[in-house]
Amino acid sequence: MRKWLLVVLASGQLGLFGCNKAEPPPEAKTTEGEAAASAAPLAAAPGGGDTIKVGILHSLSGTMAISETSLRDVALMTIDELNAAGGVLGKKIEAVVVDPASNWPLFAEKARELLQKDAVAAVFGCWTSVSRKSVLPVFEELNGLLFYPVQYEGEESSRNVFYTGAAPTSRRFPPSNI
């Protein structure tokens, strides 16, 4: 998860695009002056001011805390490293950590809170398939972005989730060239 957090945040994608912004149509052309003028609102987007907020949605209590607490720690350590190096696009990363307490319906409530109340640009979280399935409708409804850190059973695809682990359905067996 640390590698993905670093890659995503360092790439500046969260700061440039956010998760709730509509992209301009591909046919839209801009001049250098227009591009500079259109970049001005980015200073205030998402998270406002000099920070970019990201959510951390891992159980810090309950039965899954033993597995998920270390994921929170790695995310916070990576954010600290990025901030010490100057942040992303000159902005500091601000972590908003919530505890869904190993309670699957509470995952959905906390995800909604992160996206609506805290206005995070993206969320790093969930550890089990049931927690991911519980938050998926929230991320799709609110057009949020979830980075899911582990392998999963496959047969699911959403434009609002980066599935960073392998899925058994992601490869054809046997290989077609044999």
Side-chain angles (χ1 to χ4, degrees), residues 20 57 105-116 132-146 160:
N20 295 321
L57 182 65
L106 190 55
F107 267 86
E109 289 178 38
K110 294 294 185 179
R112 184 174 298 278
E113 184 179 297
L114 284 169
L115 293 171
Q116 288 183 320
R132 184 193 73 248
K133 288 181 179 292
S134 133
V135 303
L136 183 60
V138 174
F139 281 92
E140 289 180 340
E141 173 194 340
L142 300 175
N143 197 28
L145 184 60
L146 171 67
N160 298 91

PDB file of all heavy atoms in Angstrom, residues 20 57 105-116 132-146 160:
ATOM      1  N   ASN A  20     -14.020  14.731  -7.543  1.00  0.00           N
ATOM      2  CA  ASN A  20     -15.379  15.187  -7.808  1.00  0.00           C
ATOM      3  C   ASN A  20     -15.436  16.224  -8.919  1.00  0.00           C
ATOM      4  O   ASN A  20     -16.417  16.910  -9.076  1.00  0.00           O
ATOM      5  CB  ASN A  20     -15.988  15.780  -6.527  1.00  0.00           C
ATOM      6  CG  ASN A  20     -16.151  14.724  -5.479  1.00  0.00           C
ATOM      7  OD1 ASN A  20     -16.510  13.600  -5.785  1.00  0.00           O
ATOM      8  ND2 ASN A  20     -15.860  15.076  -4.241  1.00  0.00           N
ATOM      9  N   LEU A  57      -9.258   4.880   5.756  1.00  0.00           N
ATOM     10  CA  LEU A  57     -10.442   4.149   6.199  1.00  0.00           C
ATOM     11  C   LEU A  57     -10.051   2.721   6.561  1.00  0.00           C
ATOM     12  O   LEU A  57     -10.256   1.779   5.789  1.00  0.00           O
ATOM     13  CB  LEU A  57     -11.497   4.160   5.082  1.00  0.00           C
ATOM     14  CG  LEU A  57     -12.842   3.497   5.338  1.00  0.00           C
ATOM     15  CD1 LEU A  57     -13.604   4.229   6.444  1.00  0.00           C
ATOM     16  CD2 LEU A  57     -13.669   3.477   4.066  1.00  0.00           C
ATOM     17  N   PRO A 105     -21.255  -2.183   8.085  1.00  0.00           N
ATOM     18  CA  PRO A 105     -22.120  -1.046   7.726  1.00  0.00           C
ATOM     19  C   PRO A 105     -21.497   0.312   8.109  1.00  0.00           C
ATOM     20  O   PRO A 105     -21.712   1.307   7.427  1.00  0.00           O
ATOM     21  CB  PRO A 105     -23.402  -1.298   8.519  1.00  0.00           C
ATOM     22  CG  PRO A 105     -23.412  -2.771   8.776  1.00  0.00           C
ATOM     23  CD  PRO A 105     -21.962  -3.153   8.928  1.00  0.00           C
ATOM     24  N   LEU A 106     -20.699   0.323   9.171  1.00  0.00           N
ATOM     25  CA  LEU A 106     -20.055   1.566   9.589  1.00  0.00           C
ATOM     26  C   LEU A 106     -19.010   2.026   8.567  1.00  0.00           C
ATOM     27  O   LEU A 106     -18.760   3.222   8.423  1.00  0.00           O
ATOM     28  CB  LEU A 106     -19.429   1.408  10.977  1.00  0.00           C
ATOM     29  CG  LEU A 106     -18.928   2.671  11.667  1.00  0.00           C
ATOM     30  CD1 LEU A 106     -20.026   3.721  11.776  1.00  0.00           C
ATOM     31  CD2 LEU A 106     -18.363   2.331  13.043  1.00  0.00           C
ATOM     32  N   PHE A 107     -18.434   1.088   7.822  1.00  0.00           N
ATOM     33  CA  PHE A 107     -17.507   1.464   6.752  1.00  0.00           C
ATOM     34  C   PHE A 107     -18.201   2.407   5.764  1.00  0.00           C
ATOM     35  O   PHE A 107     -17.642   3.415   5.349  1.00  0.00           O
ATOM     36  CB  PHE A 107     -16.992   0.224   6.002  1.00  0.00           C
ATOM     37  CG  PHE A 107     -15.708  -0.326   6.531  1.00  0.00           C
ATOM     38  CD1 PHE A 107     -15.694  -1.233   7.573  1.00  0.00           C
ATOM     39  CD2 PHE A 107     -14.498   0.061   5.974  1.00  0.00           C
ATOM     40  CE1 PHE A 107     -14.508  -1.761   8.048  1.00  0.00           C
ATOM     41  CE2 PHE A 107     -13.302  -0.456   6.436  1.00  0.00           C
ATOM     42  CZ  PHE A 107     -13.305  -1.376   7.490  1.00  0.00           C
ATOM     43  N   ALA A 108     -19.416   2.070   5.374  1.00  0.00           N
ATOM     44  CA  ALA A 108     -20.153   2.900   4.412  1.00  0.00           C
ATOM     45  C   ALA A 108     -20.444   4.275   4.996  1.00  0.00           C
ATOM     46  O   ALA A 108     -20.304   5.299   4.314  1.00  0.00           O
ATOM     47  CB  ALA A 108     -21.442   2.205   3.994  1.00  0.00           C
ATOM     48  N   GLU A 109     -20.843   4.325   6.259  1.00  0.00           N
ATOM     49  CA  GLU A 109     -21.116   5.617   6.903  1.00  0.00           C
ATOM     50  C   GLU A 109     -19.853   6.482   6.955  1.00  0.00           C
ATOM     51  O   GLU A 109     -19.900   7.682   6.671  1.00  0.00           O
ATOM     52  CB  GLU A 109     -21.642   5.405   8.319  1.00  0.00           C
ATOM     53  CG  GLU A 109     -23.044   4.847   8.393  1.00  0.00           C
ATOM     54  CD  GLU A 109     -23.474   4.615   9.838  1.00  0.00           C
ATOM     55  OE1 GLU A 109     -23.129   5.443  10.712  1.00  0.00           O
ATOM     56  OE2 GLU A 109     -24.144   3.588  10.077  1.00  0.00           O
ATOM     57  N   LYS A 110     -18.735   5.867   7.338  1.00  0.00           N
ATOM     58  CA  LYS A 110     -17.476   6.614   7.441  1.00  0.00           C
ATOM     59  C   LYS A 110     -16.985   7.066   6.065  1.00  0.00           C
ATOM     60  O   LYS A 110     -16.432   8.157   5.918  1.00  0.00           O
ATOM     61  CB  LYS A 110     -16.403   5.784   8.152  1.00  0.00           C
ATOM     62  CG  LYS A 110     -16.708   5.493   9.606  1.00  0.00           C
ATOM     63  CD  LYS A 110     -16.705   6.759  10.422  1.00  0.00           C
ATOM     64  CE  LYS A 110     -16.891   6.477  11.896  1.00  0.00           C
ATOM     65  NZ  LYS A 110     -16.862   7.700  12.702  1.00  0.00           N
ATOM     66  N   ALA A 111     -17.192   6.231   5.047  1.00  0.00           N
ATOM     67  CA  ALA A 111     -16.807   6.621   3.684  1.00  0.00           C
ATOM     68  C   ALA A 111     -17.608   7.840   3.242  1.00  0.00           C
ATOM     69  O   ALA A 111     -17.062   8.792   2.681  1.00  0.00           O
ATOM     70  CB  ALA A 111     -17.027   5.453   2.725  1.00  0.00           C
ATOM     71  N   ARG A 112     -18.902   7.824   3.494  1.00  0.00           N
ATOM     72  CA  ARG A 112     -19.761   8.956   3.135  1.00  0.00           C
ATOM     73  C   ARG A 112     -19.301  10.222   3.863  1.00  0.00           C
ATOM     74  O   ARG A 112     -19.230  11.311   3.288  1.00  0.00           O
ATOM     75  CB  ARG A 112     -21.219   8.631   3.463  1.00  0.00           C
ATOM     76  CG  ARG A 112     -22.193   9.713   3.041  1.00  0.00           C
ATOM     77  CD  ARG A 112     -23.637   9.284   3.249  1.00  0.00           C
ATOM     78  NE  ARG A 112     -23.994   8.135   2.452  1.00  0.00           N
ATOM     79  CZ  ARG A 112     -24.346   8.183   1.154  1.00  0.00           C
ATOM     80  NH1 ARG A 112     -24.367   9.352   0.538  1.00  0.00           N
ATOM     81  NH2 ARG A 112     -24.658   7.097   0.496  1.00  0.00           N
ATOM     82  N   GLU A 113     -18.970  10.084   5.119  1.00  0.00           N
ATOM     83  CA  GLU A 113     -18.498  11.219   5.925  1.00  0.00           C
ATOM     84  C   GLU A 113     -17.193  11.788   5.351  1.00  0.00           C
ATOM     85  O   GLU A 113     -17.030  13.004   5.233  1.00  0.00           O
ATOM     86  CB  GLU A 113     -18.283  10.737   7.361  1.00  0.00           C
ATOM     87  CG  GLU A 113     -17.891  11.788   8.350  1.00  0.00           C
ATOM     88  CD  GLU A 113     -17.742  11.187   9.743  1.00  0.00           C
ATOM     89  OE1 GLU A 113     -18.751  10.697  10.286  1.00  0.00           O
ATOM     90  OE2 GLU A 113     -16.611  11.205  10.267  1.00  0.00           O
ATOM     91  N   LEU A 114     -16.263  10.897   4.986  1.00  0.00           N
ATOM     92  CA  LEU A 114     -14.993  11.362   4.413  1.00  0.00           C
ATOM     93  C   LEU A 114     -15.222  12.145   3.126  1.00  0.00           C
ATOM     94  O   LEU A 114     -14.602  13.180   2.903  1.00  0.00           O
ATOM     95  CB  LEU A 114     -14.066  10.173   4.137  1.00  0.00           C
ATOM     96  CG  LEU A 114     -13.385   9.552   5.346  1.00  0.00           C
ATOM     97  CD1 LEU A 114     -12.728   8.224   4.962  1.00  0.00           C
ATOM     98  CD2 LEU A 114     -12.360  10.506   5.942  1.00  0.00           C
ATOM     99  N   LEU A 115     -16.106  11.635   2.271  1.00  0.00           N
ATOM    100  CA  LEU A 115     -16.328  12.272   0.976  1.00  0.00           C
ATOM    101  C   LEU A 115     -17.154  13.552   1.076  1.00  0.00           C
ATOM    102  O   LEU A 115     -16.840  14.546   0.425  1.00  0.00           O
ATOM    103  CB  LEU A 115     -17.006  11.290   0.021  1.00  0.00           C
ATOM    104  CG  LEU A 115     -16.160  10.083  -0.388  1.00  0.00           C
ATOM    105  CD1 LEU A 115     -17.005   9.070  -1.150  1.00  0.00           C
ATOM    106  CD2 LEU A 115     -14.952  10.502  -1.189  1.00  0.00           C
ATOM    107  N   GLN A 116     -18.189  13.534   1.904  1.00  0.00           N
ATOM    108  CA  GLN A 116     -19.079  14.702   1.973  1.00  0.00           C
ATOM    109  C   GLN A 116     -18.617  15.728   2.997  1.00  0.00           C
ATOM    110  O   GLN A 116     -18.456  16.897   2.673  1.00  0.00           O
ATOM    111  CB  GLN A 116     -20.507  14.253   2.286  1.00  0.00           C
ATOM    112  CG  GLN A 116     -21.158  13.551   1.122  1.00  0.00           C
ATOM    113  CD  GLN A 116     -22.604  13.174   1.421  1.00  0.00           C
ATOM    114  OE1 GLN A 116     -22.946  12.746   2.519  1.00  0.00           O
ATOM    115  NE2 GLN A 116     -23.451  13.318   0.418  1.00  0.00           N
ATOM    116  N   ARG A 132     -15.079  -3.536   1.412  1.00  0.00           N
ATOM    117  CA  ARG A 132     -15.058  -2.889   0.091  1.00  0.00           C
ATOM    118  C   ARG A 132     -16.450  -2.889  -0.530  1.00  0.00           C
ATOM    119  O   ARG A 132     -16.901  -1.884  -1.062  1.00  0.00           O
ATOM    120  CB  ARG A 132     -14.079  -3.624  -0.834  1.00  0.00           C
ATOM    121  CG  ARG A 132     -13.919  -2.962  -2.190  1.00  0.00           C
ATOM    122  CD  ARG A 132     -13.205  -3.842  -3.195  1.00  0.00           C
ATOM    123  NE  ARG A 132     -14.062  -4.918  -3.654  1.00  0.00           N
ATOM    124  CZ  ARG A 132     -13.885  -6.212  -3.393  1.00  0.00           C
ATOM    125  NH1 ARG A 132     -12.875  -6.610  -2.669  1.00  0.00           N
ATOM    126  NH2 ARG A 132     -14.716  -7.113  -3.851  1.00  0.00           N
ATOM    127  N   LYS A 133     -17.139  -4.013  -0.457  1.00  0.00           N
ATOM    128  CA  LYS A 133     -18.488  -4.094  -1.030  1.00  0.00           C
ATOM    129  C   LYS A 133     -19.459  -3.177  -0.291  1.00  0.00           C
ATOM    130  O   LYS A 133     -20.392  -2.659  -0.878  1.00  0.00           O
ATOM    131  CB  LYS A 133     -18.982  -5.535  -1.022  1.00  0.00           C
ATOM    132  CG  LYS A 133     -18.264  -6.385  -2.059  1.00  0.00           C
ATOM    133  CD  LYS A 133     -18.781  -7.806  -2.045  1.00  0.00           C
ATOM    134  CE  LYS A 133     -18.108  -8.658  -3.080  1.00  0.00           C
ATOM    135  NZ  LYS A 133     -18.422  -8.302  -4.443  1.00  0.00           N
ATOM    136  N   SER A 134     -19.219  -2.952   0.978  1.00  0.00           N
ATOM    137  CA  SER A 134     -20.091  -2.077   1.743  1.00  0.00           C
ATOM    138  C   SER A 134     -19.925  -0.611   1.349  1.00  0.00           C
ATOM    139  O   SER A 134     -20.881   0.151   1.345  1.00  0.00           O
ATOM    140  CB  SER A 134     -19.834  -2.320   3.236  1.00  0.00           C
ATOM    141  OG  SER A 134     -19.679  -1.190   3.964  1.00  0.00           O
ATOM    142  N   VAL A 135     -18.698  -0.194   0.977  1.00  0.00           N
ATOM    143  CA  VAL A 135     -18.468   1.207   0.618  1.00  0.00           C
ATOM    144  C   VAL A 135     -18.653   1.487  -0.869  1.00  0.00           C
ATOM    145  O   VAL A 135     -18.815   2.638  -1.264  1.00  0.00           O
ATOM    146  CB  VAL A 135     -17.063   1.696   1.051  1.00  0.00           C
ATOM    147  CG1 VAL A 135     -16.857   1.523   2.544  1.00  0.00           C
ATOM    148  CG2 VAL A 135     -15.958   1.031   0.272  1.00  0.00           C
ATOM    149  N   LEU A 136     -18.624   0.457  -1.695  1.00  0.00           N
ATOM    150  CA  LEU A 136     -18.682   0.655  -3.148  1.00  0.00           C
ATOM    151  C   LEU A 136     -19.867   1.509  -3.597  1.00  0.00           C
ATOM    152  O   LEU A 136     -19.675   2.454  -4.368  1.00  0.00           O
ATOM    153  CB  LEU A 136     -18.682  -0.698  -3.869  1.00  0.00           C
ATOM    154  CG  LEU A 136     -18.657  -0.636  -5.391  1.00  0.00           C
ATOM    155  CD1 LEU A 136     -17.416   0.090  -5.905  1.00  0.00           C
ATOM    156  CD2 LEU A 136     -18.730  -2.040  -5.970  1.00  0.00           C
ATOM    157  N   PRO A 137     -21.094   1.257  -3.126  1.00  0.00           N
ATOM    158  CA  PRO A 137     -22.204   2.117  -3.559  1.00  0.00           C
ATOM    159  C   PRO A 137     -22.019   3.591  -3.178  1.00  0.00           C
ATOM    160  O   PRO A 137     -22.430   4.482  -3.917  1.00  0.00           O
ATOM    161  CB  PRO A 137     -23.423   1.531  -2.849  1.00  0.00           C
ATOM    162  CG  PRO A 137     -23.042   0.146  -2.467  1.00  0.00           C
ATOM    163  CD  PRO A 137     -21.557   0.161  -2.277  1.00  0.00           C
ATOM    164  N   VAL A 138     -21.366   3.845  -2.061  1.00  0.00           N
ATOM    165  CA  VAL A 138     -21.125   5.222  -1.619  1.00  0.00           C
ATOM    166  C   VAL A 138     -20.145   5.907  -2.565  1.00  0.00           C
ATOM    167  O   VAL A 138     -20.377   7.037  -3.011  1.00  0.00           O
ATOM    168  CB  VAL A 138     -20.595   5.253  -0.169  1.00  0.00           C
ATOM    169  CG1 VAL A 138     -20.209   6.670   0.246  1.00  0.00           C
ATOM    170  CG2 VAL A 138     -21.608   4.657   0.791  1.00  0.00           C
ATOM    171  N   PHE A 139     -19.051   5.230  -2.894  1.00  0.00           N
ATOM    172  CA  PHE A 139     -18.060   5.821  -3.799  1.00  0.00           C
ATOM    173  C   PHE A 139     -18.642   6.040  -5.186  1.00  0.00           C
ATOM    174  O   PHE A 139     -18.341   7.039  -5.831  1.00  0.00           O
ATOM    175  CB  PHE A 139     -16.792   4.962  -3.854  1.00  0.00           C
ATOM    176  CG  PHE A 139     -15.907   5.188  -2.667  1.00  0.00           C
ATOM    177  CD1 PHE A 139     -16.022   4.397  -1.545  1.00  0.00           C
ATOM    178  CD2 PHE A 139     -14.979   6.216  -2.660  1.00  0.00           C
ATOM    179  CE1 PHE A 139     -15.234   4.615  -0.437  1.00  0.00           C
ATOM    180  CE2 PHE A 139     -14.184   6.451  -1.558  1.00  0.00           C
ATOM    181  CZ  PHE A 139     -14.311   5.647  -0.434  1.00  0.00           C
ATOM    182  N   GLU A 140     -19.484   5.127  -5.640  1.00  0.00           N
ATOM    183  CA  GLU A 140     -20.092   5.304  -6.961  1.00  0.00           C
ATOM    184  C   GLU A 140     -21.137   6.421  -6.945  1.00  0.00           C
ATOM    185  O   GLU A 140     -21.193   7.219  -7.874  1.00  0.00           O
ATOM    186  CB  GLU A 140     -20.681   3.982  -7.435  1.00  0.00           C
ATOM    187  CG  GLU A 140     -19.571   2.998  -7.796  1.00  0.00           C
ATOM    188  CD  GLU A 140     -20.067   1.647  -8.269  1.00  0.00           C
ATOM    189  OE1 GLU A 140     -21.243   1.285  -7.985  1.00  0.00           O
ATOM    190  OE2 GLU A 140     -19.283   0.930  -8.913  1.00  0.00           O
ATOM    191  N   GLU A 141     -21.929   6.496  -5.901  1.00  0.00           N
ATOM    192  CA  GLU A 141     -22.943   7.554  -5.805  1.00  0.00           C
ATOM    193  C   GLU A 141     -22.309   8.940  -5.743  1.00  0.00           C
ATOM    194  O   GLU A 141     -22.763   9.872  -6.408  1.00  0.00           O
ATOM    195  CB  GLU A 141     -23.808   7.327  -4.561  1.00  0.00           C
ATOM    196  CG  GLU A 141     -24.775   8.451  -4.266  1.00  0.00           C
ATOM    197  CD  GLU A 141     -25.382   8.378  -2.877  1.00  0.00           C
ATOM    198  OE1 GLU A 141     -25.381   7.296  -2.251  1.00  0.00           O
ATOM    199  OE2 GLU A 141     -25.857   9.424  -2.394  1.00  0.00           O
ATOM    200  N   LEU A 142     -21.256   9.084  -4.948  1.00  0.00           N
ATOM    201  CA  LEU A 142     -20.638  10.390  -4.721  1.00  0.00           C
ATOM    202  C   LEU A 142     -19.434  10.638  -5.626  1.00  0.00           C
ATOM    203  O   LEU A 142     -18.766  11.663  -5.491  1.00  0.00           O
ATOM    204  CB  LEU A 142     -20.222  10.521  -3.251  1.00  0.00           C
ATOM    205  CG  LEU A 142     -21.368  10.411  -2.242  1.00  0.00           C
ATOM    206  CD1 LEU A 142     -20.830  10.431  -0.817  1.00  0.00           C
ATOM    207  CD2 LEU A 142     -22.398  11.508  -2.461  1.00  0.00           C
ATOM    208  N   ASN A 143     -19.166   9.721  -6.536  1.00  0.00           N
ATOM    209  CA  ASN A 143     -18.043   9.808  -7.452  1.00  0.00           C
ATOM    210  C   ASN A 143     -16.725  10.010  -6.707  1.00  0.00           C
ATOM    211  O   ASN A 143     -15.889  10.827  -7.078  1.00  0.00           O
ATOM    212  CB  ASN A 143     -18.244  10.927  -8.488  1.00  0.00           C
ATOM    213  CG  ASN A 143     -17.319  10.758  -9.667  1.00  0.00           C
ATOM    214  OD1 ASN A 143     -16.914   9.642  -9.996  1.00  0.00           O
ATOM    215  ND2 ASN A 143     -16.975  11.860 -10.304  1.00  0.00           N
ATOM    216  N   GLY A 144     -16.549   9.223  -5.641  1.00  0.00           N
ATOM    217  CA  GLY A 144     -15.317   9.258  -4.867  1.00  0.00           C
ATOM    218  C   GLY A 144     -14.306   8.276  -5.418  1.00  0.00           C
ATOM    219  O   GLY A 144     -14.601   7.490  -6.323  1.00  0.00           O
ATOM    220  N   LEU A 145     -13.108   8.315  -4.877  1.00  0.00           N
ATOM    221  CA  LEU A 145     -12.021   7.468  -5.347  1.00  0.00           C
ATOM    222  C   LEU A 145     -11.468   6.669  -4.177  1.00  0.00           C
ATOM    223  O   LEU A 145     -11.015   7.248  -3.192  1.00  0.00           O
ATOM    224  CB  LEU A 145     -10.926   8.344  -5.956  1.00  0.00           C
ATOM    225  CG  LEU A 145      -9.741   7.651  -6.590  1.00  0.00           C
ATOM    226  CD1 LEU A 145     -10.187   6.755  -7.744  1.00  0.00           C
ATOM    227  CD2 LEU A 145      -8.759   8.695  -7.098  1.00  0.00           C
ATOM    228  N   LEU A 146     -11.507   5.342  -4.305  1.00  0.00           N
ATOM    229  CA  LEU A 146     -11.002   4.432  -3.267  1.00  0.00           C
ATOM    230  C   LEU A 146      -9.806   3.673  -3.800  1.00  0.00           C
ATOM    231  O   LEU A 146      -9.858   3.124  -4.901  1.00  0.00           O
ATOM    232  CB  LEU A 146     -12.095   3.438  -2.856  1.00  0.00           C
ATOM    233  CG  LEU A 146     -11.654   2.293  -1.927  1.00  0.00           C
ATOM    234  CD1 LEU A 146     -11.256   2.818  -0.548  1.00  0.00           C
ATOM    235  CD2 LEU A 146     -12.743   1.239  -1.812  1.00  0.00           C
ATOM    236  N   ASN A 160     -14.519   3.863  -9.781  1.00  0.00           N
ATOM    237  CA  ASN A 160     -14.259   4.599  -8.554  1.00  0.00           C
ATOM    238  C   ASN A 160     -13.319   3.862  -7.606  1.00  0.00           C
ATOM    239  O   ASN A 160     -13.081   4.335  -6.495  1.00  0.00           O
ATOM    240  CB  ASN A 160     -15.577   4.905  -7.834  1.00  0.00           C
ATOM    241  CG  ASN A 160     -16.462   5.778  -8.675  1.00  0.00           C
ATOM    242  OD1 ASN A 160     -17.282   5.293  -9.451  1.00  0.00           O
ATOM    243  ND2 ASN A 160     -16.283   7.079  -8.564  1.00  0.00           N
TER     244      ASN A 160
END
